[in-house]
Amino acid sequence: MLECRKITKRYGGHFYSLGSPETSVDFDVKPGELFAVIGPSGCGKSTLLKLIGGFTSTSAGKITIQGRDVTGLPPYLRPTNTVFQNYALFPHLTIGENVSFGLEMARVPQAECAARVEDALRLVGLASFSRRYVSEMSGGQLQRVALARAIVNKPAILLLDEPLGALDLKLRRQMQDEIVELKRALGMTILHVTHDQEEACAIADRIAVMNAGHILQIDSPVDLYRRPRTAFVAEFINAGTILRGDVKLAGQDGRLCSKAGTFLGRNNCGEVSGKLALLLPRYGAKVRRISGNEVSDVNSLVATVVRIAFTGTEFAVQLEAKTGDRFTVQLTIEEMAQGGLDLGAQVNASWAAENLQIVRDDLPEA
Ligand code: ADP
Ligand code: MG
C-alpha cells in the first residue's frame, strides 16, 4: 500500500530531521494496516507524516502509494488525508460545510456530496450536528469532525498526527476504539503518529519506534515488548530495566556478568559485537518473600520492595537490589496477596532465561 524507500529529509542546513546520508528511512505499510509511529518529541514523526502527505518534499528517496510514485506530487493529488493535532477547521463554516469543503472543491455533485457528508458524520457519531458551528462543539467533538472531514473523500491512507493528544483519558480511549472501528468499517490503511506507547499498543497492528530521525524497530505490539532489540526501544516502551555489565555471547545465548549478579538470556537483537546490555522485563518475573540472608542465584536478584503502584488491574512493584539498581516488575493481585509482598519486604526475583533479552546498548553515554 505504502512504500517509503531510502527517504531522508533536511529542512536546509546540515541537520537531517529524517535519516542521514549513511542510513535512510525504509519501510512498507500493508493494505488495511493500522501502523503506529512512536518516539520522543522531535524524533521526526511529524516530518515523516508530512512527507507521506506531501506537505513537505523529500531530500532524497521515493514514496509509492498503491504502486504509484507520489514523491513529487502535491497533497491534493495524493490518495491521502491528514488529521492534524490542532483540528484546522474553518470557524465560519458549519460542521457539515467543513466536512463537505474538500468534496465541493473537487466538484463532487451536490446530492452525492450531501450523502457522503452524512455518512462520514454518522460514522464518527455526529449525525445530528451538521448545522452547528465550530464554536458550539467540544474538543472531542471537533476531533471527530476533523476525522469525518478526512475520511469523507475516502483516502487510501489516513494520516493521523497525534490527533488525540489534547483529549482527556476517557475521550482518548473512546476515540481509540472509534479509529479501530473506522479502519474495520472502511478497510482504510492508517498511519497513526503518537508519543503515547500505550495508545499505540492498544490500537496498532504494527508499531515503528523512532529516535533521532531513524526507525529503530518495526514489530507487532506483543513482539515489540517481548523482543525489543535495543536498550532505547526497551526503555521507551517501558518493557523493563536495562542492566549493564560484561556481556559474552555464545550463539543464541548471552551471559551478563554485573555487580548485581549473573544472568543468562537470549540474543534476539542479531548483534554479535558492539556494546550490549541485558533487559530485565517487567513481565514474567517470579517474586517471593525471603527471610534472612539468601544469596542470589543465576538469573535472580535479592532486593527490597521500595514502591508499590496499583495500575487498575495489576501492581507495578519497584524493587531495589543491594547494588542500588532499581527495577520494576508487574505482578497480579493474587501474586501480591499470596506472596505477602509489602513495602520494605526482602524478596528474591527470578526470571526464566527465555524472558531475559540481550539488547544492543544504544543509549548515549551519560
Ligand atoms: P516530532 O513530530 O517527532 O516531534 P518533527 O518531525 O516535528 O518531530 O521534527 C523533527 C526535527 O525536525 C526536529 O529537530 C525539528 O526541530 C525539525 N523540524 C521540523 N520541522 C521543521 C521545519 N519546518 N524547519 C526546520 N526544522 C524543522
Ligand atoms: Mg510532531
Side-chain angles (χ1 to χ4, degrees):
M1 172 59 72
L2 167 71
E3 292 172 14
C4 292
R5 285 287 166 271
K6 298 193 158 87
I7 55 175
T8 62
K9 175 64 184 175
R10 231 168 357 123
Y11 283 103
H14 297 294
F15 179 79
Y16 276 82
S17 293
L18 209 67
S20 68
E22 297 79 34
T23 46
S24 47
V25 172
D26 211 286
F27 68 100
D28 289 359
V29 177
K30 297 172 203 152
E33 191 170 27
L34 206 168
F35 188 89
V37 179
I38 64 175
S41 182
C43 72
K45 304 182 296 294
S46 294
T47 299
L48 180 61
L49 226 59
K50 282 182 199 152
L51 291 176
I52 298 167
F55 295 97
T56 185
S57 58
T58 50
S59 301
K62 186 171 156 185
I63 298 173
T64 307
I65 298 175
Q66 293 176 312
R68 195 162 65 103
D69 184 353
V70 299
T71 317
L73 296 182
Y76 62 90
L77 290 179
R78 299 189 185 205
T80 55
N81 242 316
T82 307
V83 177
F84 296 101
Q85 183 163 3
N86 60 0
Y87 316 144
L89 297 169
F90 298 117
H92 60 286
L93 299 183
T94 63
I95 299 313
E97 286 163 353
N98 262 286
V99 176
S100 68
F101 189 80
L103 296 178
E104 277 163 27
M105 295 314 269
R107 302 233 159 82
V108 172
Q110 186 122 42
E112 185 190 338
C113 192
R116 277 167 68 173
V117 169
E118 200 185 311
D119 264 3
L121 283 175
R122 189 171 36 74
L123 270 168
V124 298
L126 292 176
S128 55
F129 290 79
S130 170
R131 287 171 199 282
R132 287 228 202 157
Y133 282 88
V134 167
S135 60
E136 299 165 333
M137 306 283 275
S138 73
Q141 290 171 331
L142 290 178
Q143 191 55 74
R144 291 208 186 103
V145 177
L147 256 181
R149 188 182 52 177
I151 60 175
V152 76
N153 5 334
K154 303 188 181 128
I157 304 182
L158 182 63
L159 304 169
L160 306 174
D161 193 356
E162 311 221 20
L164 313 183
L167 305 182
D168 65 57
L169 188 64
K170 187 161 172 257
L171 258 178
R172 205 150 74 216
R173 294 249 164 84
Q174 199 178 327
M175 288 297 292
Q176 288 170 5
D177 288 346
E178 276 172 30
I179 289 170
V180 172
E181 180 53 28
L182 270 181
K183 176 188 106 123
R184 202 193 56 75
L186 303 178
M188 227 163 11
T189 305
I190 302 178
L191 236 81
H192 182 94
V193 163
T194 172
H195 60 264
D196 178 351
Q197 91 278 0
E198 271 182 45
E199 179 171 301
C201 277
I203 67 175
D205 298 308
R206 284 192 303 160
I207 300 176
V209 185
M210 286 187 69
N211 189 34
H214 289 95
I215 294 180
L216 302 182
Q217 186 168 351
I218 300 176
D219 258 318
S220 73
V222 171
D223 286 344
L224 202 59
Y225 270 82
R226 295 185 79 99
R227 285 185 283 282
R229 288 202 289 271
T230 64
F232 180 86
V233 169
E235 294 196 323
F236 187 75
I237 65 174
N238 199 14
T241 308
I242 296 296
L243 211 57
R244 296 186 166 86
D246 184 34
V247 176
K248 295 235 163 16
L249 295 179
Q252 279 289 72
D253 298 324
R255 172 194 294 264
L256 170 118
C257 293
S258 72
K259 284 191 213 117
T262 299
F263 293 86
L264 301 175
R266 291 285 137 79
N267 173 21
N268 290 315
C269 67
E271 297 289 326
V272 290
S273 60
K275 255 184 105 188
L276 298 171
L278 181 119
L279 169 67
L280 294 177
R282 290 157 68 88
Y283 75 92
K286 291 221 159 27
V287 182
R288 61 182 169 81
R289 194 176 178 132
I290 55 173
S291 54
N293 277 334
E294 193 172 310
V295 287
S296 49
D297 203 353
V298 169
N299 284 5
S300 75
L301 274 172
V302 170
T304 309
V305 177
V306 291
R307 171 148 167 68
I308 300 172
F310 185 52
T311 58
T313 48
E314 285 194 325
F315 289 93
V317 180
Q318 206 179 96
L319 304 172
E320 187 175 290
K322 291 217 180 77
T323 52
D325 288 302
R326 284 195 173 198
F327 53 99
T328 302
V329 293
Q330 206 72 32
L331 298 175
T332 63
I333 296 173
E334 291 74 29
E335 283 170 323
M336 284 297 281
Q338 285 162 10
L341 304 176
D342 312 317
L343 215 53
Q346 284 283 105
V347 299
N348 177 300
S350 61
W351 290 262
E354 64 256 31
N355 291 339
L356 293 174
Q357 306 286 324
I358 303 290
V359 293
R360 193 168 83 227
D361 194 4
D362 55 357
L363 292 187
E365 305 276 332

